[in-house]
Amino acid sequence: MIAEYFPVLLFLAVSVGLGVVLISLGLLFGTRKTTDEKVSPYECGFEAFDDAHMKFDVRFYLVAILFIIFDLEIAFLFPWAVVLTELGAFGLVSMFLFLLLLVIGFIYEWKKGALEWE
Amino acid sequence: MSLTLNHYLIFSTLLFMVSLGGIFANRRNILVVLMSLELLLLSVNTNFIAFSKFIGDVDGQVFVFFILTVAAAEAAIGLAILVMLYRNKKSLDVDDINELEG
């Protein structure tokens, strides 16, 4: 069982190695002449207008939270989907009750406007 | 050398110690407290999985599943509280939240 993951480990090692090799090739053969102008941040050609700090938008946080919740829902769905034929009607009804609870939460956040971006 | 139950238990105890130390010794940031709490739950999960494997009982894995759910919900709510706290106090310093004095 564990041994089946060995090709994945190998693949990971090869891809990391490939990335390192390609980047170091660029470092080896490329020319690097930096000036202040070159390393300054790019803002469509203009100088930066104001401070780089900006207010954190809570909407991103809300999206992340909702993702965590529905991600967990999927984690519960996976084992259920695999053994559904053995579980029968009882398993089906149980999962549908669980999904019903989640849908109630989903409707709540929809009506609250948590999914509106504008 | 093959892995025995003791190795897992020692490992999870060490994780537990680290996270407890993170909670108690940390005097800077509440975010670190939340991260330590997550580490605490993870060490308990490691314990559950190790016992589940070496005793041969699948109940431990079911417990881990529910603990994962609780940990995610707790992290979500805790972070929401932190966001609101930062909005009001403009700081996440542990020592800045000292309005109640016993």
Side-chain angles (χ1 to χ4, degrees), chain A residues 58 61 65 68 72 75-76 79, chain B residues 65-66 69 72 76 79-80 87:
Chain A
V58 156
Y61 174 73
I65 290 293
I68 289 181
L72 266 175
F76 275 96
Chain B
F65 220 76
F66 290 129
T69 314
L79 282 172
R87 180 185 281 177

mmCIF file of all heavy atoms in Angstrom, chain A residues 58 61 65 68 72 75-76 79, chain B residues 65-66 69 72 76 79-80 87:
data_model
loop_
_atom_site.group_PDB
_atom_site.id
_atom_site.type_symbol
_atom_site.label_atom_id
_atom_site.label_comp_id
_atom_site.label_asym_id
_atom_site.label_seq_id
_atom_site.Cartn_x
_atom_site.Cartn_y
_atom_site.Cartn_z
ATOM 1 N N VAL A 58 -12.413 42.078 3.611
ATOM 2 C CA VAL A 58 -12.941 40.933 4.359
ATOM 3 C C VAL A 58 -13.601 39.911 3.435
ATOM 4 O O VAL A 58 -13.706 38.736 3.775
ATOM 5 C CB VAL A 58 -13.921 41.450 5.442
ATOM 6 C CG1 VAL A 58 -14.916 40.402 5.843
ATOM 7 C CG2 VAL A 58 -13.159 41.894 6.665
ATOM 8 N N TYR A 61 -11.562 36.913 2.931
ATOM 9 C CA TYR A 61 -11.613 36.051 4.113
ATOM 10 C C TYR A 61 -12.877 35.201 4.108
ATOM 11 O O TYR A 61 -12.842 34.006 4.393
ATOM 12 C CB TYR A 61 -11.548 36.907 5.370
ATOM 13 C CG TYR A 61 -11.732 36.107 6.607
ATOM 14 C CD1 TYR A 61 -10.723 35.273 7.056
ATOM 15 C CD2 TYR A 61 -12.927 36.134 7.303
ATOM 16 C CE1 TYR A 61 -10.890 34.510 8.162
ATOM 17 C CE2 TYR A 61 -13.102 35.384 8.415
ATOM 18 C CZ TYR A 61 -12.082 34.571 8.853
ATOM 19 O OH TYR A 61 -12.264 33.806 9.940
ATOM 20 N N ILE A 65 -13.235 31.127 4.149
ATOM 21 C CA ILE A 65 -13.980 30.377 5.165
ATOM 22 C C ILE A 65 -14.993 29.449 4.507
ATOM 23 O O ILE A 65 -15.105 28.265 4.849
ATOM 24 C CB ILE A 65 -14.719 31.357 6.098
ATOM 25 C CG1 ILE A 65 -13.720 32.087 6.967
ATOM 26 C CG2 ILE A 65 -15.725 30.625 6.964
ATOM 27 C CD1 ILE A 65 -13.035 31.226 7.947
ATOM 28 N N ILE A 68 -13.341 26.465 3.115
ATOM 29 C CA ILE A 68 -12.986 25.451 4.130
ATOM 30 C C ILE A 68 -14.195 24.585 4.446
ATOM 31 O O ILE A 68 -14.108 23.353 4.505
ATOM 32 C CB ILE A 68 -12.470 26.132 5.413
ATOM 33 C CG1 ILE A 68 -11.102 26.747 5.168
ATOM 34 C CG2 ILE A 68 -12.385 25.128 6.545
ATOM 35 C CD1 ILE A 68 -10.522 27.400 6.383
ATOM 36 N N LEU A 72 -14.578 20.597 3.510
ATOM 37 C CA LEU A 72 -14.836 19.538 4.489
ATOM 38 C C LEU A 72 -16.024 18.693 4.072
ATOM 39 O O LEU A 72 -16.017 17.471 4.240
ATOM 40 C CB LEU A 72 -15.115 20.153 5.849
ATOM 41 C CG LEU A 72 -13.903 20.277 6.753
ATOM 42 C CD1 LEU A 72 -14.280 21.003 8.003
ATOM 43 C CD2 LEU A 72 -13.382 18.905 7.084
ATOM 44 N N ALA A 75 -14.869 16.236 1.766
ATOM 45 C CA ALA A 75 -14.113 15.188 2.460
ATOM 46 C C ALA A 75 -15.047 14.156 3.062
ATOM 47 O O ALA A 75 -14.728 12.961 3.118
ATOM 48 C CB ALA A 75 -13.231 15.817 3.535
ATOM 49 N N PHE A 76 -16.227 14.604 3.520
ATOM 50 C CA PHE A 76 -17.205 13.646 4.043
ATOM 51 C C PHE A 76 -17.880 12.876 2.922
ATOM 52 O O PHE A 76 -18.296 11.738 3.116
ATOM 53 C CB PHE A 76 -18.266 14.381 4.872
ATOM 54 C CG PHE A 76 -17.862 14.617 6.287
ATOM 55 C CD1 PHE A 76 -17.311 15.814 6.679
ATOM 56 C CD2 PHE A 76 -18.035 13.614 7.227
ATOM 57 C CE1 PHE A 76 -16.937 16.014 7.989
ATOM 58 C CE2 PHE A 76 -17.664 13.813 8.541
ATOM 59 C CZ PHE A 76 -17.106 15.013 8.913
ATOM 60 N N PRO A 79 -15.751 9.188 1.169
ATOM 61 C CA PRO A 79 -15.951 7.799 1.633
ATOM 62 C C PRO A 79 -17.373 7.317 1.419
ATOM 63 O O PRO A 79 -17.596 6.145 1.107
ATOM 64 C CB PRO A 79 -15.593 7.853 3.124
ATOM 65 C CG PRO A 79 -15.594 9.266 3.486
ATOM 66 C CD PRO A 79 -15.355 10.063 2.265
ATOM 67 N N PHE B 65 -11.636 12.014 11.927
ATOM 68 C CA PHE B 65 -12.438 12.730 10.937
ATOM 69 C C PHE B 65 -13.246 13.838 11.604
ATOM 70 O O PHE B 65 -13.281 14.975 11.126
ATOM 71 C CB PHE B 65 -13.378 11.739 10.249
ATOM 72 C CG PHE B 65 -13.506 11.978 8.785
ATOM 73 C CD1 PHE B 65 -12.486 11.604 7.933
ATOM 74 C CD2 PHE B 65 -14.623 12.602 8.271
ATOM 75 C CE1 PHE B 65 -12.597 11.833 6.592
ATOM 76 C CE2 PHE B 65 -14.733 12.836 6.927
ATOM 77 C CZ PHE B 65 -13.712 12.452 6.089
ATOM 78 N N PHE B 66 -13.840 13.504 12.745
ATOM 79 C CA PHE B 66 -14.655 14.525 13.418
ATOM 80 C C PHE B 66 -13.778 15.610 14.019
ATOM 81 O O PHE B 66 -14.153 16.789 14.011
ATOM 82 C CB PHE B 66 -15.539 13.876 14.480
ATOM 83 C CG PHE B 66 -16.640 13.049 13.878
ATOM 84 C CD1 PHE B 66 -16.869 11.753 14.278
ATOM 85 C CD2 PHE B 66 -17.441 13.595 12.893
ATOM 86 C CE1 PHE B 66 -17.865 11.001 13.707
ATOM 87 C CE2 PHE B 66 -18.449 12.842 12.313
ATOM 88 C CZ PHE B 66 -18.661 11.550 12.720
ATOM 89 N N THR B 69 -12.955 18.071 11.415
ATOM 90 C CA THR B 69 -14.080 18.978 11.180
ATOM 91 C C THR B 69 -14.120 20.068 12.240
ATOM 92 O O THR B 69 -14.238 21.259 11.932
ATOM 93 C CB THR B 69 -15.391 18.194 11.204
ATOM 94 O OG1 THR B 69 -15.226 17.026 10.432
ATOM 95 C CG2 THR B 69 -16.519 19.013 10.695
ATOM 96 N N ALA B 72 -11.322 22.583 11.811
ATOM 97 C CA ALA B 72 -11.546 23.542 10.724
ATOM 98 C C ALA B 72 -12.554 24.597 11.153
ATOM 99 O O ALA B 72 -12.347 25.798 10.935
ATOM 100 C CB ALA B 72 -12.022 22.814 9.479
ATOM 101 N N ALA B 76 -11.846 28.589 11.596
ATOM 102 C CA ALA B 76 -12.628 29.594 10.870
ATOM 103 C C ALA B 76 -13.170 30.641 11.831
ATOM 104 O O ALA B 76 -13.021 31.850 11.608
ATOM 105 C CB ALA B 76 -13.767 28.909 10.117
ATOM 106 N N LEU B 79 -10.318 32.726 13.506
ATOM 107 C CA LEU B 79 -9.758 33.738 12.609
ATOM 108 C C LEU B 79 -10.735 34.890 12.409
ATOM 109 O O LEU B 79 -10.319 36.054 12.318
ATOM 110 C CB LEU B 79 -9.402 33.104 11.269
ATOM 111 C CG LEU B 79 -8.099 32.318 11.273
ATOM 112 C CD1 LEU B 79 -7.931 31.577 9.975
ATOM 113 C CD2 LEU B 79 -6.927 33.253 11.476
ATOM 114 N N ALA B 80 -12.045 34.560 12.369
ATOM 115 C CA ALA B 80 -13.038 35.630 12.235
ATOM 116 C C ALA B 80 -12.965 36.557 13.436
ATOM 117 O O ALA B 80 -13.008 37.792 13.294
ATOM 118 C CB ALA B 80 -14.436 35.025 12.106
ATOM 119 N N ARG B 87 -9.630 44.785 13.649
ATOM 120 C CA ARG B 87 -10.325 45.965 13.149
ATOM 121 C C ARG B 87 -10.565 46.960 14.281
ATOM 122 O O ARG B 87 -10.464 48.175 14.098
ATOM 123 C CB ARG B 87 -11.655 45.547 12.534
ATOM 124 C CG ARG B 87 -12.461 46.703 11.988
ATOM 125 C CD ARG B 87 -13.800 46.274 11.502
ATOM 126 N NE ARG B 87 -13.748 45.662 10.181
ATOM 127 C CZ ARG B 87 -14.801 45.166 9.579
ATOM 128 N NH1 ARG B 87 -15.975 45.202 10.165
ATOM 129 N NH2 ARG B 87 -14.697 44.630 8.390
#
